[in-house]
Each structure stands twice: as C-alpha cells, then as structure tokens.
Amino acid sequence: MDNIETIGFETHLLECYLFVDDYLQSHPKVADWRRSMGSDPDFTDAEVIVIALMQGYFRTDTSGANLRVGGGQR
C-alpha cells in the first residue's frame, strides 16, 4: 500500500491528529471537560476526535464500523 493515495491519506490523518492533539495540549480546560472512567484509557481524546472526524471519509455511521475500517484495534 505504498501508492500516492495511501501516503496522502496517512499524511492527512497524521496532520489531523497533530492539530487536535496540539490544540488539546494548548487548551487544557477544553480537554478536562470529562475524565475517563478507567485510569488508562485505550485511546487518547485526540485519537477519538480524529476517528470521529474521519467517519465522513470512511463513510461509516458508527465508531465501531470506523474502527474496523481503519484497523483500530490497539
């Protein structure tokens, strides 16, 4: 999967993640609006937000379907 479309997608996904993560780091009050029930969540807030943003790209309507398309098992 080393074609231009895949490289472009991976780059776009990384850019989205970095933007969201930087924003949440710079605005801690935004990130602290909720706390995870567990002490060590499987996904960071930035990862969850990017997954939600990418649902339109994957044309999925649920987070579970989106994780399956994106290989989201960690």
Side-chain angles (χ1 to χ4, degrees):
M1 295 187 72
D2 282 51
N3 61 34
I4 292 172
E5 290 179 13
T6 303
I7 292 170
F9 170 74
E10 290 171 355
T11 300
H12 180 66
L13 191 61
L14 180 60
E15 289 172 342
C16 286
Y17 171 78
L18 292 173
F19 175 79
V20 171
D21 190 54
D22 286 347
Y23 181 84
L24 292 176
Q25 297 276 337
S26 299
H27 299 85
K29 287 187 179 185
V30 173
D32 288 341
W33 69 275
R34 67 145 191 94
R35 284 286 174 210
S36 175
M37 296 294 285
S39 61
D40 188 23
D42 291 335
F43 295 95
T44 66
D45 287 343
E47 290 170 327
V48 172
I49 291 168
V50 170
I51 290 168
L53 290 171
M54 295 309 292
Q55 282 181 330
Y57 178 83
F58 291 130
R59 296 183 183 181
T60 57
D61 58 354
T62 65
S63 294
N66 205 17
L67 288 172
R68 285 189 297 277
V69 170
Q73 291 285 335
R74 281 184 61 168

Coordinates of all heavy atoms in Angstrom, one line a residue:
M1 N 0.8 -1.2 0.0 CA 0.0 0.0 0.0 C 0.9 1.3 0.0 O 0.6 2.2 0.7 CB -0.9 0.0 1.2 CG -1.9 -1.1 1.2 SD -3.1 -1.0 2.5 CE -4.1 0.4 1.9
D2 N 1.9 1.3 -0.8 CA 2.8 2.4 -0.9 C 2.4 3.3 -2.1 O 3.4 3.8 -2.7 CB 4.2 2.0 -0.9 CG 4.7 1.6 0.5 OD1 4.0 0.8 1.1 OD2 5.8 2.1 0.9
N3 N 1.2 3.5 -2.4 CA 0.9 4.3 -3.5 C 0.6 5.8 -3.0 O 0.6 6.0 -1.8 CB -0.3 3.8 -4.3 CG -1.6 3.7 -3.5 OD1 -1.8 4.5 -2.6 ND2 -2.4 2.7 -3.8
I4 N 0.5 6.7 -3.9 CA 0.3 8.1 -3.6 C -0.9 8.3 -2.7 O -0.9 9.1 -1.8 CB 0.3 9.0 -4.9 CG1 1.7 8.9 -5.5 CG2 -0.1 10.4 -4.5 CD1 1.8 9.6 -6.9
E5 N -2.0 7.7 -3.1 CA -3.3 7.9 -2.3 C -3.1 7.5 -0.9 O -3.6 8.1 0.0 CB -4.4 7.1 -3.0 CG -4.8 7.7 -4.3 CD -5.9 6.9 -4.9 OE1 -6.5 6.1 -4.3 OE2 -6.2 7.1 -6.1
T6 N -2.5 6.3 -0.6 CA -2.3 5.9 0.8 C -1.3 6.8 1.5 O -1.6 7.2 2.7 CB -1.7 4.5 0.8 OG1 -2.5 3.6 0.0 CG2 -1.5 3.9 2.2
I7 N -0.3 7.2 0.9 CA 0.7 8.1 1.6 C -0.1 9.4 1.9 O 0.1 10.0 2.9 CB 1.9 8.3 0.7 CG1 2.7 7.1 0.6 CG2 2.8 9.5 1.3 CD1 3.8 7.1 -0.4
G8 N -0.8 9.9 0.9 CA -1.6 11.2 1.2 C -2.6 11.0 2.3 O -2.7 11.9 3.1
F9 N -3.3 9.9 2.3 CA -4.2 9.6 3.4 C -3.5 9.6 4.8 O -4.0 10.2 5.7 CB -5.0 8.4 3.1 CG -5.9 8.0 4.3 CD1 -7.0 8.7 4.6 CD2 -5.5 6.9 5.1 CE1 -7.8 8.3 5.7 CE2 -6.2 6.5 6.2 CZ -7.4 7.3 6.5
E10 N -2.5 8.8 4.8 CA -1.7 8.7 6.1 C -1.2 10.0 6.6 O -1.3 10.4 7.8 CB -0.6 7.7 6.0 CG -1.1 6.3 5.8 CD 0.0 5.3 5.4 OE1 1.1 5.7 5.2 OE2 -0.3 4.1 5.4
T11 N -0.7 10.8 5.6 CA -0.2 12.2 6.0 C -1.4 13.0 6.5 O -1.2 13.7 7.5 CB 0.4 12.8 4.8 OG1 1.5 12.0 4.3 CG2 0.9 14.2 5.1
H12 N -2.5 13.0 5.8 CA -3.7 13.8 6.2 C -4.2 13.3 7.6 O -4.5 14.2 8.5 CB -4.8 13.6 5.2 CG -6.0 14.4 5.6 ND1 -6.1 15.8 5.6 CD2 -7.3 14.0 5.9 CE1 -7.3 16.2 6.0 NE2 -8.0 15.1 6.2
L13 N -4.2 12.0 7.9 CA -4.6 11.5 9.2 C -3.6 12.0 10.3 O -4.1 12.4 11.3 CB -4.6 10.0 9.1 CG -5.3 9.3 10.3 CD1 -6.8 9.7 10.4 CD2 -5.2 7.8 10.0
L14 N -2.4 11.9 10.0 CA -1.4 12.4 10.9 C -1.5 13.9 11.2 O -1.4 14.4 12.4 CB 0.0 12.1 10.5 CG 1.2 12.5 11.4 CD1 1.1 11.8 12.7 CD2 2.5 12.2 10.7
E15 N -1.7 14.7 10.2 CA -1.9 16.1 10.3 C -3.1 16.4 11.2 O -3.0 17.3 12.1 CB -2.0 16.8 9.0 CG -0.7 16.9 8.2 CD -0.9 17.4 6.8 OE1 -2.1 17.4 6.3 OE2 0.1 17.8 6.2
C16 N -4.2 15.7 11.0 CA -5.4 15.9 11.8 C -5.1 15.6 13.2 O -5.5 16.3 14.1 CB -6.5 15.0 11.3 SG -7.3 15.6 9.7
Y17 N -4.4 14.5 13.5 CA -4.1 14.1 14.8 C -3.3 15.1 15.5 O -3.5 15.5 16.7 CB -3.5 12.7 14.9 CG -3.0 12.4 16.3 CD1 -3.8 11.9 17.2 CD2 -1.6 12.6 16.6 CE1 -3.4 11.7 18.5 CE2 -1.2 12.3 17.9 CZ -2.1 11.9 18.8 OH -1.6 11.6 20.1
L18 N -2.2 15.5 14.8 CA -1.3 16.5 15.4 C -2.0 17.8 15.8 O -1.7 18.4 16.8 CB -0.1 16.7 14.5 CG 0.9 15.5 14.4 CD1 1.9 15.8 13.4 CD2 1.5 15.2 15.7
F19 N -2.9 18.3 14.8 CA -3.6 19.5 15.1 C -4.5 19.4 16.3 O -4.5 20.2 17.2 CB -4.5 19.9 13.9 CG -5.3 21.0 14.1 CD1 -4.8 22.3 14.0 CD2 -6.7 20.9 14.4 CE1 -5.6 23.4 14.2 CE2 -7.5 22.0 14.6 CZ -7.0 23.3 14.5
V20 N -5.2 18.3 16.4 CA -6.2 18.1 17.5 C -5.4 17.9 18.8 O -5.7 18.5 19.8 CB -7.1 16.9 17.3 CG1 -7.9 16.5 18.5 CG2 -8.0 17.2 16.1
D21 N -4.3 17.1 18.8 CA -3.5 16.9 20.0 C -2.9 18.2 20.5 O -2.9 18.5 21.7 CB -2.5 15.8 19.7 CG -1.8 15.4 21.0 OD1 -2.5 15.0 22.0 OD2 -0.5 15.5 21.1
D22 N -2.3 19.0 19.6 CA -1.7 20.3 19.9 C -2.7 21.2 20.5 O -2.5 21.9 21.5 CB -1.0 20.9 18.7 CG 0.3 20.3 18.3 OD1 0.8 19.4 19.1 OD2 0.8 20.6 17.2
Y23 N -3.9 21.2 19.9 CA -5.0 22.1 20.4 C -5.4 21.7 21.9 O -5.5 22.5 22.8 CB -6.2 22.0 19.5 CG -7.3 22.9 20.0 CD1 -7.3 24.3 19.7 CD2 -8.3 22.4 20.8 CE1 -8.3 25.1 20.2 CE2 -9.3 23.2 21.3 CZ -9.3 24.6 21.0 OH -10.3 25.4 21.5
L24 N -5.6 20.4 22.1 CA -5.9 19.9 23.4 C -4.8 20.2 24.4 O -5.1 20.5 25.6 CB -6.3 18.5 23.4 CG -7.6 18.1 22.6 CD1 -7.8 16.6 22.6 CD2 -8.8 18.8 23.2
Q25 N -3.6 20.1 24.0 CA -2.5 20.3 24.9 C -2.4 21.8 25.3 O -2.1 22.2 26.4 CB -1.1 19.9 24.3 CG -1.0 18.4 24.0 CD -0.6 17.6 25.2 OE1 0.1 18.2 26.1 NE2 -0.9 16.4 25.2
S26 N -2.7 22.7 24.3 CA -2.7 24.1 24.5 C -3.9 24.7 25.3 O -3.8 25.8 25.8 CB -2.6 24.8 23.1 OG -1.5 24.5 22.4
H27 N -4.9 23.9 25.3 CA -6.2 24.4 25.9 C -6.6 23.3 26.9 O -7.6 22.6 26.7 CB -7.3 24.6 24.9 CG -6.9 25.7 23.9 ND1 -6.2 25.4 22.8 CD2 -7.2 27.0 23.9 CE1 -6.0 26.6 22.1 NE2 -6.6 27.5 22.8
P28 N -6.0 23.2 28.0 CA -6.3 22.1 29.0 C -7.7 22.1 29.5 O -8.2 21.0 29.8 CB -5.2 22.2 30.1 CG -4.6 23.6 29.9 CD -4.9 24.0 28.5
K29 N -8.3 23.3 29.6 CA -9.7 23.3 30.1 C -10.6 22.6 29.2 O -11.6 22.0 29.6 CB -10.1 24.7 30.4 CG -9.4 25.3 31.6 CD -10.0 26.7 31.9 CE -9.3 27.2 33.2 NZ -9.9 28.5 33.6
V30 N -10.3 22.7 27.9 CA -11.2 22.0 26.9 C -11.0 20.5 27.1 O -12.0 19.8 27.0 CB -10.8 22.4 25.5 CG1 -11.5 21.6 24.4 CG2 -11.0 23.9 25.3
A31 N -9.8 20.1 27.3 CA -9.5 18.6 27.4 C -10.0 18.1 28.7 O -10.3 16.9 28.8 CB -8.0 18.4 27.2
D32 N -10.2 18.9 29.7 CA -10.6 18.4 31.1 C -12.1 18.4 31.3 O -12.5 18.2 32.4 CB -9.9 19.3 32.1 CG -8.4 19.0 32.3 OD1 -8.0 17.9 31.8 OD2 -7.7 19.9 32.8
W33 N -12.9 18.6 30.3 CA -14.3 18.6 30.5 C -14.9 17.3 30.9 O -15.9 17.2 31.5 CB -15.0 19.1 29.2 CG -15.0 18.2 28.1 CD1 -14.0 18.0 27.1 CD2 -16.0 17.2 27.7 NE1 -14.3 17.0 26.2 CE2 -15.5 16.5 26.6 CE3 -17.2 16.8 28.3 CZ2 -16.3 15.5 26.0 CZ3 -17.9 15.8 27.7 CH2 -17.5 15.2 26.5
R34 N -14.1 16.3 30.7 CA -14.5 14.9 31.1 C -13.3 14.1 31.5 O -12.2 14.3 31.0 CB -15.4 14.2 30.1 CG -14.6 13.8 28.9 CD -15.1 12.5 28.3 NE -14.2 12.0 27.3 CZ -13.2 11.2 27.6 NH1 -13.0 10.7 28.8 NH2 -12.4 10.8 26.6
R35 N -13.5 13.2 32.3 CA -12.4 12.2 32.6 C -12.8 10.8 32.3 O -14.0 10.5 32.5 CB -12.1 12.3 34.1 CG -11.3 13.6 34.5 CD -9.9 13.4 33.9 NE -9.1 14.6 34.1 CZ -8.2 15.0 33.3 NH1 -7.8 14.2 32.3 NH2 -7.5 16.1 33.5
S36 N -11.9 10.0 31.9 CA -12.2 8.6 31.6 C -12.5 7.9 32.9 O -11.9 8.1 33.9 CB -11.0 8.0 30.9 OG -11.2 6.6 30.7
M37 N -13.4 6.9 32.7 CA -13.7 6.1 33.9 C -12.5 5.2 34.3 O -12.4 4.9 35.5 CB -14.9 5.2 33.5 CG -16.2 5.9 33.3 SD -16.8 6.8 34.7 CE -17.5 5.5 35.6
G38 N -11.7 4.8 33.4 CA -10.5 4.0 33.7 C -9.3 4.9 33.9 O -9.3 6.0 33.5
S39 N -8.3 4.3 34.6 CA -7.1 5.1 34.8 C -6.2 5.1 33.6 O -5.4 6.0 33.5 CB -6.4 4.5 36.0 OG -6.0 3.2 35.7
D40 N -6.4 4.2 32.7 CA -5.5 4.2 31.5 C -6.4 3.8 30.3 O -6.5 2.7 29.8 CB -4.4 3.1 31.6 CG -3.4 3.1 30.5 OD1 -3.3 4.2 29.9 OD2 -2.8 2.1 30.3
P41 N -7.0 4.9 29.7 CA -7.9 4.6 28.5 C -7.2 4.0 27.3 O -6.0 4.3 27.2 CB -8.5 6.0 28.2 CG -7.6 7.0 28.8 CD -6.9 6.3 30.0
D42 N -7.9 3.3 26.5 CA -7.3 2.7 25.3 C -6.9 3.7 24.3 O -6.0 3.5 23.5 CB -8.3 1.7 24.7 CG -8.4 0.4 25.6 OD1 -7.5 0.1 26.4 OD2 -9.4 -0.2 25.5
F43 N -7.7 4.8 24.2 CA -7.5 5.8 23.2 C -7.4 7.2 23.9 O -8.1 7.5 24.9 CB -8.6 5.9 22.2 CG -8.8 4.7 21.3 CD1 -9.7 3.7 21.7 CD2 -8.0 4.6 20.2 CE1 -9.8 2.6 20.9 CE2 -8.1 3.4 19.4 CZ -9.0 2.5 19.7
T44 N -6.6 8.1 23.4 CA -6.5 9.5 23.9 C -7.7 10.2 23.3 O -8.3 9.8 22.3 CB -5.2 10.2 23.5 OG1 -5.2 10.3 22.0 CG2 -4.0 9.4 23.9
D45 N -8.0 11.4 23.9 CA -9.0 12.2 23.4 C -8.8 12.6 22.0 O -9.7 12.7 21.2 CB -9.2 13.5 24.3 CG -9.9 13.2 25.6 OD1 -10.5 12.1 25.8 OD2 -9.8 14.0 26.5
A46 N -7.5 12.9 21.7 CA -7.2 13.3 20.3 C -7.5 12.2 19.3 O -8.0 12.5 18.2 CB -5.7 13.8 20.2
E47 N -7.2 11.0 19.7 CA -7.4 9.9 18.8 C -8.9 9.7 18.6 O -9.3 9.5 17.4 CB -6.8 8.6 19.4 CG -5.3 8.6 19.4 CD -4.7 7.4 20.1 OE1 -5.3 7.0 21.2 OE2 -3.6 6.9 19.7
V48 N -9.7 9.8 19.6 CA -11.1 9.7 19.5 C -11.7 10.7 18.6 O -12.6 10.5 17.7 CB -11.8 9.7 20.9 CG1 -13.3 9.7 20.7 CG2 -11.4 8.5 21.7
I49 N -11.3 12.0 18.8 CA -11.8 13.1 17.9 C -11.4 12.9 16.5 O -12.2 13.1 15.6 CB -11.3 14.4 18.5 CG1 -11.9 14.7 19.8 CG2 -11.5 15.6 17.5 CD1 -11.3 15.9 20.6
V50 N -10.2 12.5 16.2 CA -9.8 12.2 14.8 C -10.6 11.1 14.2 O -11.0 11.2 13.0 CB -8.2 12.0 14.7 CG1 -7.8 11.5 13.3 CG2 -7.5 13.3 15.1
I51 N -10.8 10.0 15.0 CA -11.6 8.9 14.4 C -13.0 9.4 14.1 O -13.5 9.1 13.0 CB -11.7 7.8 15.5 CG1 -10.3 7.1 15.6 CG2 -12.8 6.8 15.1 CD1 -10.2 6.1 16.8
A52 N -13.6 10.3 14.9 CA -14.9 10.8 14.6 C -14.9 11.7 13.4 O -15.8 11.7 12.6 CB -15.4 11.6 15.8
L53 N -13.8 12.5 13.3 CA -13.7 13.4 12.1 C -13.6 12.6 10.8 O -14.0 13.0 9.7 CB -12.5 14.3 12.2 CG -12.6 15.4 13.3 CD1 -11.3 16.1 13.5 CD2 -13.7 16.4 12.9
M54 N -12.9 11.4 10.9 CA -12.6 10.6 9.7 C -13.8 9.7 9.3 O -13.8 9.1 8.3 CB -11.4 9.8 9.9 CG -10.1 10.6 10.1 SD -9.9 11.8 8.8 CE -9.6 10.8 7.4
Q55 N -14.9 9.7 10.1 CA -16.1 8.9 9.8 C -16.6 9.3 8.4 O -17.1 8.4 7.7 CB -17.1 9.0 10.8 CG -16.8 8.1 12.0 CD -17.9 8.2 13.1 OE1 -18.6 9.2 13.2 NE2 -18.1 7.1 13.8
G56 N -16.6 10.6 8.1 CA -17.1 11.0 6.8 C -16.3 10.5 5.7 O -16.8 10.1 4.6
Y57 N -15.0 10.4 5.9 CA -14.1 9.9 4.8 C -14.3 8.4 4.6 O -14.4 7.9 3.5 CB -12.6 10.1 5.2 CG -11.6 9.6 4.2 CD1 -11.3 10.3 3.1 CD2 -11.1 8.3 4.4 CE1 -10.4 9.8 2.2 CE2 -10.2 7.8 3.5 CZ -9.8 8.5 2.4 OH -9.0 8.0 1.5
F58 N -14.5 7.7 5.7 CA -14.7 6.2 5.6 C -16.2 5.9 5.2 O -16.5 4.7 4.9 CB -14.4 5.5 6.9 CG -12.9 5.5 7.2 CD1 -12.5 5.9 8.5 CD2 -12.0 5.1 6.3 CE1 -11.1 5.9 8.8 CE2 -10.6 5.1 6.6 CZ -10.2 5.5 7.8
R59 N -17.0 6.9 5.3 CA -18.5 6.7 5.0 C -19.1 5.7 5.9 O -19.8 4.8 5.5 CB -18.7 6.4 3.6 CG -18.3 7.5 2.6 CD -18.6 7.2 1.2 NE -18.1 8.3 0.5 CZ -18.2 8.4 -0.8 NH1 -18.8 7.5 -1.5 NH2 -17.7 9.5 -1.5
T60 N -18.8 5.8 7.2 CA -19.3 4.9 8.2 C -20.2 5.7 9.2 O -20.0 6.9 9.3 CB -18.2 4.2 9.0 OG1 -17.4 5.2 9.6 CG2 -17.4 3.3 8.1
D61 N -21.1 5.1 9.8 CA -22.0 5.9 10.7 C -21.9 5.5 12.1 O -22.5 6.1 13.0 CB -23.5 5.7 10.3 CG -23.9 4.2 10.3 OD1 -23.0 3.4 10.5 OD2 -25.1 4.0 10.1
T62 N -21.0 4.6 12.4 CA -20.7 4.3 13.8 C -19.2 4.2 14.1 O -18.5 4.0 13.2 CB -21.4 2.9 14.2 OG1 -20.7 1.9 13.5 CG2 -22.8 2.9 14.0
S63 N -18.9 4.5 15.3 CA -17.5 4.4 15.7 C -16.9 3.0 15.5 O -15.8 2.8 15.1 CB -17.3 4.9 17.2 OG -17.6 6.2 17.3
G64 N -17.7 2.0 15.9 CA -17.2 0.6 15.7 C -16.9 0.3 14.3 O -15.9 -0.3 14.0
A65 N -17.8 0.7 13.4 CA -17.5 0.4 12.0 C -16.3 1.2 11.5 O -15.5 0.7 10.7 CB -18.7 0.8 11.1
N66 N -16.2 2.4 12.0 CA -15.0 3.2 11.6 C -13.7 2.6 12.1 O -12.7 2.6 11.4 CB -15.2 4.6 12.2 CG -14.4 5.6 11.4 OD1 -14.0 5.4 10.3 ND2 -14.1 6.8 12.1
L67 N -13.7 2.0 13.3 CA -12.5 1.4 13.8 C -12.2 0.1 13.0 O -11.0 -0.2 12.8 CB -12.7 1.0 15.3 CG -12.7 2.2 16.3 CD1 -13.1 1.7 17.7 CD2 -11.4 2.8 16.3
R68 N -13.2 -0.6 12.6 CA -12.9 -1.8 11.8 C -12.3 -1.4 10.5 O -11.4 -2.1 10.0 CB -14.2 -2.6 11.6 CG -14.6 -3.4 12.8 CD -15.8 -4.3 12.5 NE -17.0 -3.6 12.1 CZ -17.9 -3.1 12.9 NH1 -17.7 -3.2 14.2 NH2 -19.0 -2.5 12.5
V69 N -12.8 -0.4 9.8 CA -12.3 0.1 8.5 C -10.9 0.6 8.7 O -10.0 0.3 7.9 CB -13.2 1.2 7.9 CG1 -12.5 1.8 6.7 CG2 -14.5 0.7 7.5
G70 N -10.6 1.3 9.8 CA -9.3 1.9 10.0 C -8.3 1.0 10.7 O -7.2 1.3 11.0
G71 N -8.7 -0.3 11.0 CA -7.8 -1.2 11.7 C -7.6 -0.7 13.1 O -6.4 -0.8 13.6
G72 N -8.6 -0.2 13.8 CA -8.4 0.4 15.1 C -8.2 -0.4 16.3 O -8.4 0.0 17.4
Q73 N -7.8 -1.7 16.2 CA -7.6 -2.5 17.4 C -6.2 -2.1 17.9 O -5.2 -2.2 17.2 CB -7.6 -4.0 17.0 CG -9.0 -4.5 16.7 CD -9.8 -4.7 17.9 OE1 -9.3 -4.8 19.0 NE2 -11.1 -4.6 17.8
R74 N -6.1 -1.7 19.1 CA -4.8 -1.3 19.7 C -4.3 -2.4 20.6 O -5.0 -3.1 21.2 CB -4.9 0.0 20.5 CG -4.9 1.2 19.6 CD -5.0 2.4 20.3 NE -3.8 2.5 21.2 CZ -3.4 3.6 21.8 NH1 -4.1 4.7 21.7 NH2 -2.3 3.6 22.5

